[in-house]
């Protein structure tokens, strides 16, 4: 029976090495024992009673085998709370399990020693000693601790400590069931091949880089220049291969840094994020991915979001232009048009499949769910348009209604204009004095921006001889200035902002007031 290496299921308990008498099986760990040193008897220990009676078993021969009396060295030698036996077990455990495996070393020592306690004792006693690598009281002549703490007093304190910790362990709540540990194997992460415990991949970048240097050897003194100051060709070749290997390691580290910084290991979250995008947004995002190598994650996210917003704005503008060409005057009608357009496309797609000969030609109820819609574009085109300024103008017989402007223009479609607006007389600009040239003829050839104007605006620009592009710029400047002052502006200020002939500026101001875009201050 002899020696038992007592490894406990729960760390921090009694544990340690236990010695049992080979004859009577009595625990002789904490008392004097007789150890046989003959090669025929391995780990053979007897209690004092059995040894004195001449008991024997197996190959042990008490009359001829040499023996050794082993007593418990439970006296302090380096610190006042650790005995010599525990110091010996500490060094033996460190040699067996390796420094850093403090939990295994604590189990090897036993006596309810904890891993943090063992680690701190080793560091403070051996590492931080002024006599490093020896402890402070390593001299055999230093017996101050032994005199201060006699054997009986020290063992009584040790027994009391063990009993207290045993009672605390017994009264402690049961430990939660152990969870399956996250081992560094390729199958324990959502990214196949990544080992989170080691921060490595099963197949690294340039995975065969180590093959070039695995059998390379450098002899002692190799690499030292000769008398001529040059290295031998073999050493030069080895150094060149090592430089190549180090460059491959740098490339490997750079790729890992990029993966960690861009959070590419969050595969499920990234996949869910890309799945929410439309096909056009995904294509744009994939084209932008090479820029992530020279940008931080936050900068790249902002960069991609801005370009996606630009894409959605372009699509929304194209959609609004299509609505204008079809004489669609408000966003609600445009949305109905888009829905019907999608339904027609779904019907055509259904008619081309294997069910085109079915009697029921009506599309299924979930067609709308099957059509991929761009929510960002819809948000840009489905909001309410701005309202007109509600103000009763002096001298007018009608009151301007708070009606939505269609596409930013007051007179886009009479069908969607309130009754009061339909009965309002048409604005007729007063002819300019000293204008002998007549109205300006505007066509799509000489005025590319003509399609952006309503019929009233076209007639106004023709009478005032203003091209569409400068007219739009003047209109934008005056309306912006009016918004700064609560929607109203003086006629004199409008003439100064327009920077054209004062008569033309005054007529433009009157037209803007008539259309309800601004009010007189």
């Amino acid at each position: 029976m002899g020696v038992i290496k007592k490894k406990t299921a729960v760390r921090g308990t009694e544990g340690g090495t236990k010695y049992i008498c080979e004859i009577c099986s009595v625990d002789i760990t904490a008392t004097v024992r007789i150890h046989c040193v003959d090669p025929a008897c391995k780990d053979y220990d007897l209690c004092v009673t059995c040894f004195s009676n001449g008991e024997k078993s197996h190959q042990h021969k008490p009359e001829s085998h040499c023996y050794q009396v082993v007593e418990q060295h439970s006296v302090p030698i380096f610190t006042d709370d650790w005995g010599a036996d525990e110091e010996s077990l500490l060094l033996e455990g460190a040699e067996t399990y390796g420094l850093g495996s403090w939990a295994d070393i604590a189990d090897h020592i036993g006596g309810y020693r904890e891993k943090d306690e063992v680690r701190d004792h080793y560091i403070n006693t051996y590492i931080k000693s002024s006599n490093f690598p020896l402890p402070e009281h390593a001299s055999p002549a230093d017996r101050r601790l032994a005199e201060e703490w006699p054997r009986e007093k020290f063992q009584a304190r040790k027994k009391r400590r063990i009993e207290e910790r045993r009672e605390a362990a017994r009264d402690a709540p049961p430990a939660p069931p152990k969870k399956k540990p996250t081992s560094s194997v390729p199958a324990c992460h959502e990214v196949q091949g990544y080992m989170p415990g080691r921060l490595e991949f099963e197949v690294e970048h340039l995975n065969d880089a180590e093959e070039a240097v695995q059998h390379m050897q450098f002899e002692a003194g190799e690499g030292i220049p000769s008398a001529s100051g040059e290295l031998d060709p073999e050493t030069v070749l080895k150094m060149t291969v090592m430089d190549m290997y180090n460059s491959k390691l740098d490339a490997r580290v750079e790729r890992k840094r990029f993966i960690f910084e861009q959070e590419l290991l969050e595969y499920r979250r990234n996949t869910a994020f890309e799945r929410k995008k439309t096909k056009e947004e995904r294509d744009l995002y994939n084209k932008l991915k090479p820029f992530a190598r020279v940008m931080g994650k936050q900068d790249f996210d902002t960069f991609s979001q801005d370009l996606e917003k630009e894409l959605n704005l372009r699509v929304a503008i194209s959609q609004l232009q299509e609505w204008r060409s079809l004489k669609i005057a408000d966003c609600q009608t445009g949305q109905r048009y888009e829905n019907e357009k999608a339904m027609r496309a779904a019907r055509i797609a259904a008619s081309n499949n294997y069910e085109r000969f079915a009697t029921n030609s009506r599309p299924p109820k979930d067609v709308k769910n099957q059509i991929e819609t761009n929510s960002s574009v819809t948000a840009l085109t489905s909001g309410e348009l701005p309202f007109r300024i509600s103000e009763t103008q002096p001298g007018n017989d009608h009151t301007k209604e708070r009606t939505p402007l269609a596409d930013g223009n007051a007179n886009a479609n009479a069908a969607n204009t309130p009754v009061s607006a339909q009965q309002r007389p048409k604005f007729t600009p007063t002819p300019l004095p000293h204008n002998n040239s007549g109205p300006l003829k505007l066509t799509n050839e000489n005025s590319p921006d003509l399609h952006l104007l309503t019929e009233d605006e076209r007639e106004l620009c023709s009478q005032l001889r203003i091209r569409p592009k400068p007219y739009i710029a003047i209109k934008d400047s005056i309306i912006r200035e009016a918004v700064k002052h609560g929607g109203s502006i003086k006629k004199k200020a409008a003439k100064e902002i327009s920077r054209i002939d004062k008569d033309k500026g005054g007529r433009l101001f009157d037209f803007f007031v008539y259309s309800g875009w601004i009010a007189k201050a």
Side-chain angles (χ1 to χ4, degrees), residues 131-146:
N131 298 329
F132 180 82
L134 298 177
E136 294 285 351
H137 306 286
S139 174
D142 190 351
R143 298 187 57 82
R144 285 177 295 176
L145 291 176

Side-chain angles (χ1 to χ4, degrees), residues 268-489:
R268 293 192 182 95
R269 188 186 67 182
N270 295 338
T271 304
F273 173 72
E274 293 188 11
R275 194 179 293 117
K276 295 179 182 179
K277 299 178 180 293
T278 62
K279 182 179 182 301
E280 292 76 11
E281 290 177 340
R282 285 194 296 269
D283 293 342
L284 176 63
Y285 188 73
N286 291 331
K287 292 179 180 178
L288 297 177
K289 284 182 178 179
F291 292 97
R293 298 190 63 179
V294 294
M295 303 174 68
K297 177 173 175 55
Q298 185 176 0
D299 294 340
F300 176 72
D301 290 342
T302 304
F303 175 65
S304 60
Q305 289 171 6
D306 290 345
L307 289 181
E308 287 177 9
K309 185 177 180 181
E310 179 189 4
L311 172 66
N312 293 329
L313 286 173
R314 290 181 180 275
V315 174
I317 292 172
S318 176
Q319 190 177 82
L320 292 173
Q321 289 177 344
E322 181 184 2
W323 292 357
R324 178 186 289 273
S325 65
L326 297 175
K327 306 299 181 182
I328 296 177
D330 58 87
C331 291
Q332 289 76 12
T333 306
Q335 290 300 323
R336 288 197 299 271
Y337 164 73
E338 292 296 332
N339 293 336
E340 293 175 0
K341 179 180 177 182
M343 296 290 287
R344 287 194 300 272
R347 269 194 218 97
I348 294 174
S351 63
N352 294 331
N353 61 14
Y354 294 107
E355 299 176 358
R356 61 182 181 275
F357 297 108
T359 56
N360 186 9
S361 60
R362 184 176 301 175
K365 295 182 180 181
D366 59 344
V367 166
K368 292 184 179 181
N369 297 331
Q370 299 175 0
I371 302 173
E372 184 180 28
T373 59
N374 193 335
S375 58
S376 302
V377 175
T378 304
L380 294 172
T381 57
S382 62
E384 292 294 335
L385 294 173
F387 286 90
R388 296 187 185 186
I389 298 172
S390 177
E391 181 180 356
T392 303
Q393 300 293 341
N396 292 346
D397 296 335
H398 63 277
T399 302
K400 298 185 178 181
E401 303 290 340
R402 289 181 58 85
T403 55
L405 302 180
D407 292 338
N409 300 297
N411 304 312
N413 195 338
N416 294 284
T417 307
V419 176
S420 60
Q422 296 180 15
Q423 296 175 352
R424 187 172 51 191
K426 183 177 180 181
F427 180 84
T428 303
T430 306
L432 294 173
H434 311 293
N435 183 11
N436 300 325
S437 302
L440 179 64
K441 187 177 181 180
L442 300 175
T443 61
N444 292 327
E445 288 75 14
N446 60 17
S447 303
D449 299 324
L450 185 63
H451 66 284
L452 299 176
L453 308 183
T454 62
E455 292 296 334
D456 291 344
E457 289 177 314
R458 294 179 184 179
E459 183 177 354
L460 176 67
C461 291
S462 177
Q463 292 291 340
L464 301 180
R465 299 186 64 82
I466 302 176
R467 297 286 181 181
K469 190 169 184 179
Y471 165 78
I472 294 174
I474 295 172
K475 173 183 173 183
D476 180 73
S477 301
I478 293 177
I479 292 178
R480 285 180 183 273
E481 187 65 24
V483 169
K484 295 179 181 178
H485 299 84
S488 60
I489 188 175

